[in-house]
Amino acid sequence: MDINSIVELKPRPEIPAFAAGDTIKASIKVVEGDKERIQAFQGVVIRVKKGGINSSFTVRKVASGVGVERTFFFQSPRLEKVEVIRHGKVRRAKLYYLRGLSERAGRIKEKTRKLPAELKVAATENTATVAVPPVPTPETPPAATT
């Protein structure tokens, strides 16, 4: 019997779907003494580990020329929310090679979203049915009303 069969995992709607290469902003509850505040950590996801209760993701950012990595657990009560800033275009699942690159060399291109063929056809049909009234030009006087 393992821990995954004992613990029921509840879906977290405040965590959207993301993958390695995406730039995200993770908001975490930080406790300092008796005060609690929310701190944001924005960076590139270099790995996503799936495994039920042990699922986690690692985010890397460069602060003052120093690389900083932080690992977050999906099921942690300290993880407040996650926002996807941009989707990166990468060909690997683990981006550990970013550790050896400078900040500028480690930039990731943004993924462009392509529309499916059905949506393209619907978009062209909708624009074709909209009629735009002609704008009067200075050469042709506006029609006189009687």
Side-chain angles (χ1 to χ4, degrees), residues 93-107:
K94 307 284 191 277
L95 305 179
Y96 297 137
Y97 69 90
L98 292 178
R99 294 173 176 163
L101 300 178
S102 66
E103 181 180 7
R104 189 171 178 93
R107 288 186 295 183

Side-chain angles (χ1 to χ4, degrees), residues 102-113:
S102 66
E103 181 180 7
R104 189 171 178 93
R107 288 186 295 183
I108 297 173
K109 292 182 181 178
E110 190 165 2
K111 187 187 297 184
T112 57
R113 301 272 174 154

Side-chain angles (χ1 to χ4, degrees), residues 42 77 132 135 139:
Q42 182 173 337
V132 179
V135 178
E139 300 156 357

